[in-house]
Amino acid sequence: MLKLDNIKTYYGNIQALKGISLEVKKGEIICLIGANGAGKSTTLMSISGIEPPRSGSIFLEGIDITGMPAHQIVTMGLSQVPEGRRIFPQLSVLENLDMGAYLRRDKEEQKRDLEYVFDLFPILSQRRNQSGGTLSGGEQQMLAISRALMAKPRILLMDEPSLGLAPIIVQQIFGIITRINKEQGTTIFLVEQNANQALKIADRGYVLQNGMIVKSDTSSALMADEEVKNAYLGV
Amino acid sequence: MKYFLQLVLAGLTKGSIYALIALGYTMVYGIIKLINFAHGEIYMIGAFTALIVGGALQITTGLSPLTILAISLAAAIFFSSGYGVTMEKIAYKPLRNAPRLTALISAIGMSLILQNYVLLAQTSDFLPFRSMIPNFPFLTPGKSLVTTTQLVILITTVVVMVILTLLIKFTRTGKAMRATSQDKVMAQLVGIDINKVITFTFAVGSATAAIGGVLIANHTGQINFYIGFLAGIKAFVAAVLGGIGSIPGAVLGSLVLGMTESFGAGYISSAYEDVFAFIILILILIFKPSGLLGRNEIEKV
């Protein structure tokens, strides 16, 4: 589904990604764990075309999308829930969801998808006419996920969906992620600092350190790994 | 009382013209956070296009004045938008990731280039502009409070504002514009081509400025290459007064500025007419830098 081949991304002269290769297969939930500043968000922004890599290639369903403008990558069925949620603060909840479906022309289907996300997150339905900036952190995260779903992506990139949220909301969000994966068949590539939670729902995981992949294995193997345990699981 | 009402009308007329220009400033600022100092020149080019196209039609054809007005207005909108969009492509787009000051200097350069280009292509003298707006029979010249041109300016401005508001609030492109102004990265992540949105914004802003240019030329009866400079700066003051980035703010700021100038000139001294705009600018920057309707930039983390 998604394949990264030795990508290197720079911010000015600073190299953030030092040759990342990884693969996400159709229908999987894959998580990328790593500490602050390891390059997790950069990896996602490189895939989405916001920070295109200086070298290496990115393939989406076999098509080379390296260097493609960000808005075109969305048309190919890839959406991102970015770090910090990035809700359009002065647009209403409904308008935010509309923007998620910006590239779609199928009004009827959109209505059905709107019902679907309101079913996932009933609170959004209650708040539909409120402006995005007035929502709580948890509600904004729900809106960010819903907005990405409104694009009907085949693969969804999620950047730290649990960041700054109360444990009970985190539980709920991770539950929904699994549900989206099962019900819609959406492939999910999840970036998390909350490695415990992420590995519990993921099929496989990659460990990112200083812009390099240092480990990759099934989730259960990673959870049993001594180094991973010490560094990321806090046990 | 009649004098007072005349001043009100004169103020509204001025304010309307400022509003048509200020919209472009505020929309462009909203999208790319750039004060487009060459925007006044776009307005001037609109007036010149109407002068050339309208003049040619008046001499060579026997079309009715209103038809000529419509054709020259369309030509002015077309050319001004062309200039606006081209300006963005050559002077601002390459600097999009540069510090803001760089783009600002580029804008001032663009303003000087356009002024001098028109100076060379035309002349430095004031050129007479024959009004294309015929007198409405129900308005007796000299007796009525309002002139035909004033009425046309007011009505046109209201119509433009309504169309623009509907465009931005309800259309897909309008929503894309708002989304882009609020978060450019996220706008791209939902699939918006922000280059297209920016181009469209310049085109629309230039079009409203062109309408202002054609109307003011009809109103004052003469134009030269320099009219865009002062009008541009005043519209900028109006946009700042209303809260730059806010569209209702630009309209409100323009009307307040127009009224202030009109009353200042009418009751204090007409020699100081242009001073009032800058007094307002200084006061607003001291006491409410975010403008009348502007919001302070608060970010939720």
Side-chain angles (χ1 to χ4, degrees):
Chain A
M1 180 98 204
L2 177 72
K3 201 172 163 209
L4 272 58
D5 186 18
N6 197 25
I7 64 165
K8 294 175 180 164
T9 302
Y10 293 74
Y11 290 108
N13 286 325
I14 298 158
Q15 188 173 14
L17 301 183
K18 298 167 183 160
I20 300 228
S21 302
L22 55 80
E23 196 178 355
V24 182
K25 295 203 184 76
K26 201 173 165 59
E28 278 185 319
I29 300 182
I30 298 299
C31 86
L32 180 66
I33 56 181
N36 246 344
K40 304 189 298 293
S41 298
T42 309
T43 308
L44 293 195
M45 285 302 179
S46 288
I47 298 172
S48 279
I50 301 285
E51 300 289 347
R54 203 175 281 181
S55 69
S57 313
I58 303 167
F59 298 94
L60 184 60
E61 298 189 303
I63 300 165
D64 190 348
I65 59 164
T66 330
M68 213 183 254
H71 64 94
Q72 251 175 44
I73 294 176
V74 183
T75 63
M76 306 197 36
L78 182 143
S79 287
Q80 185 181 157
V81 183
E83 186 179 9
R85 333 185 222 287
R86 304 193 91 130
I87 295 303
F88 298 116
Q90 282 129 43
L91 298 188
S92 70
V93 168
L94 217 47
E95 285 174 329
N96 266 285
L97 293 171
D98 263 4
M99 290 325 294
Y102 181 74
L103 293 166
R104 294 172 60 187
R105 303 280 187 179
D106 46 347
K107 285 262 176 285
E108 286 306 307
E109 290 249 329
Q110 277 181 44
K111 260 190 207 138
R112 223 171 308 144
D113 289 338
L114 196 63
E115 289 311 312
Y116 179 73
V117 297
F118 282 156
D119 179 50
L120 289 178
F121 303 112
I123 186 85
L124 293 181
S125 176
Q126 289 170 34
R127 302 231 186 279
R128 60 174 78 195
N129 294 317
Q130 217 170 302
S131 63
T134 63
L135 300 185
S136 74
E139 288 162 357
Q140 287 195 356
Q141 188 62 56
M142 295 172 192
L143 179 55
I145 296 173
S146 303
R147 177 179 57 190
L149 288 179
M150 286 304 288
K152 250 191 164 351
R154 276 166 300 173
I155 178 163
L156 186 58
L157 314 183
M158 305 180 99
D159 198 344
E160 306 231 24
S162 75
L163 193 72
L165 301 183
I168 181 147
I169 309 278
V170 174
Q171 286 287 351
Q172 192 192 345
I173 299 263
F174 277 98
I176 296 282
I177 296 173
T178 334
R179 204 176 137 192
I180 295 164
N181 175 254
K182 294 279 172 305
E183 288 180 2
Q184 305 273 306
T186 314
T187 309
I188 289 179
F189 185 44
L190 178 70
V191 154
E192 262 298 344
Q193 269 194 71
N194 191 341
N196 245 324
Q197 285 283 354
L199 286 172
K200 263 183 214 153
I201 65 161
D203 299 305
R204 293 185 295 120
Y206 290 89
V207 179
L208 189 64
Q209 213 172 67
N210 289 325
M212 282 179 288
I213 300 280
V214 292
K215 259 191 179 60
S216 88
D217 213 327
T218 61
S219 295
S220 41
L222 283 177
M223 277 193 281
D225 188 289
E226 281 303 319
E227 273 179 67
V228 174
K229 262 188 194 170
N230 288 332
Y232 303 106
L233 299 179
V235 253
Chain B
M1 189 61 194
K2 190 175 180 198
Y3 184 58
F4 174 80
L5 287 176
Q6 275 172 342
L7 290 181
V8 171
L9 278 166
L12 284 178
T13 313
K14 266 187 162 229
S16 300
I17 299 291
Y18 291 151
L20 288 172
I21 312 174
L23 283 173
Y25 269 113
T26 221
M27 281 165 57
V28 164
Y29 184 84
I31 300 270
I32 56 173
K33 301 283 174 284
L34 164 78
I35 307 286
N36 178 14
F37 272 118
H39 189 58
E41 269 50 73
I42 296 295
Y43 152 94
M44 178 266 294
I45 285 172
F48 266 96
T49 311
L51 176 74
I52 295 165
V53 173
L57 289 174
Q58 277 167 345
I59 294 166
T60 57
T61 66
L63 292 170
S64 74
L66 274 182
T67 319
I68 293 181
L69 177 67
I71 296 174
S72 22
L73 191 61
I77 291 176
F78 179 77
F79 274 93
S80 289
S81 297
Y83 272 100
V85 169
T86 314
M87 177 164 80
E88 194 272 327
K89 293 270 177 289
I90 60 178
Y92 307 144
K93 196 179 172 192
L95 297 172
R96 206 169 288 158
N97 296 320
R100 276 206 225 170
L101 192 60
T102 319
L104 196 68
I105 292 167
S106 183
I108 293 171
M110 205 65 222
S111 165
L112 291 173
I113 288 171
L114 288 176
Q115 270 180 33
N116 288 288
Y117 153 66
V118 175
L119 168 67
L120 287 175
Q122 301 293 326
T123 158
S124 65
D125 299 330
F126 268 100
L127 296 171
F129 191 102
R130 233 165 81 195
S131 180
M132 303 168 191
I133 303 173
N135 272 313
F136 295 148
F138 63 89
L139 294 171
T140 339
K143 283 198 180 158
S144 307
L145 214 49
V146 55
T147 68
T148 304
T149 327
Q150 280 181 326
L151 199 61
V152 170
I153 290 177
L154 294 176
I155 294 171
T156 313
T157 310
V158 171
V159 171
V160 170
M161 301 297 155
V162 170
I163 293 177
L164 202 62
T165 310
L166 295 178
L167 173 89
I168 289 171
K169 265 217 130 55
F170 298 111
T171 65
R172 184 169 176 266
T173 314
K175 281 183 201 165
M177 283 168 75
R178 282 190 287 154
T180 307
S181 80
Q182 289 170 34
D183 189 334
K184 263 190 265 317
V185 169
M186 194 59 225
Q188 294 175 67
L189 289 177
V190 296
I192 295 170
D193 183 348
I194 61 167
N195 282 324
K196 270 196 193 147
V197 171
I198 292 170
T199 303
F200 182 76
T201 307
F202 270 85
V204 172
S206 304
T208 64
I211 296 172
V214 175
L215 291 176
I216 199 71
N218 274 288
H219 187 54
T220 59
Q222 55 173 12
I223 58 172
N224 79 344
F225 74 99
Y226 206 58
I227 59 165
F229 180 73
L230 197 57
I233 296 237
K234 285 196 188 160
F236 165 66
V237 172
V240 172
L241 173 62
I244 194 142
S246 152
I247 288 176
V251 178
L252 179 67
S254 302
L255 293 180
V256 170
L257 182 65
M259 288 293 189
T260 313
E261 285 195 353
S262 177
F263 281 113
Y267 286 124
I268 303 172
S269 163
S270 59
Y272 286 100
E273 188 177 357
D274 293 336
V275 174
F276 299 112
F278 302 105
I279 294 177
I280 288 189
L281 179 64
I282 292 168
L283 291 178
I284 197 84
L285 288 177
I286 294 173
F287 294 109
K288 199 163 187 311
S290 60
L292 296 173
L293 299 183
R295 39 174 85 75
N296 292 315
E297 309 242 321
I298 302 169
E299 262 176 44
K300 199 166 184 175
V301 187

